[in-house]
Amino acid sequence: NLTDITVSESPATTETTFIITHDRPGTAVTFRIDISDLSGRILWTSTNSTATTATVYTQTWNLCDQTGAPLATGVYLYRVTVTSATGTSTSQSRKMVIKR
């Protein structure tokens, strides 16, 4: 299960790191991070399947969309979904600010 999500920088200017706390250390899980604008349009996605040894997983993001273009100053939503090997998933969303 997903217990907490946060970012290292908000407002972020050049990059930020997603800090995902979960209760599945030592098991195979898939972490999916979606960044969207306030209208719900997904701008960037990262998916990584791994077996973490700790209860914290981190992913750094360079504040660019899927094509590599920097996102403009504004408020964005990030959704983290954690899916276990058995197929059960949990997700949480939060807001973050990018300031260029």
Side-chain angles (χ1 to χ4, degrees):
N1 286 339
L2 186 60
T3 56
D4 192 34
I5 59 173
T6 190
V7 288
S8 62
E9 305 280 333
S10 185
T13 56
T14 59
E15 70 177 23
T16 194
T17 299
F18 298 96
I19 303 163
I20 303 163
T21 307
H22 62 94
D23 65 356
R24 301 276 182 215
T27 61
V29 291
T30 300
F31 297 94
R32 179 182 169 121
I33 304 168
D34 292 309
I35 304 295
S36 61
D37 58 20
L38 293 180
S39 67
R41 188 172 43 126
I42 295 177
L43 305 170
W44 181 82
T45 298
S46 171
T47 304
N48 187 19
S49 296
T50 187
T52 61
T53 56
T55 57
V56 176
Y57 171 80
T58 60
Q59 170 74 47
T60 301
W61 175 49
N62 65 359
L63 310 181
C64 293
D65 68 13
Q66 213 62 44
T67 68
L71 295 182
T73 294
V75 177
Y76 295 88
L77 300 174
Y78 62 97
R79 172 177 291 278
V80 174
T81 304
V82 176
T83 305
S84 69
T86 62
T88 58
S89 65
T90 308
S91 65
Q92 292 183 17
S93 296
R94 302 269 192 282
K95 290 181 183 177
M96 68 170 295
V97 175
I98 294 176
K99 187 173 182 181
R100 297 285 186 183

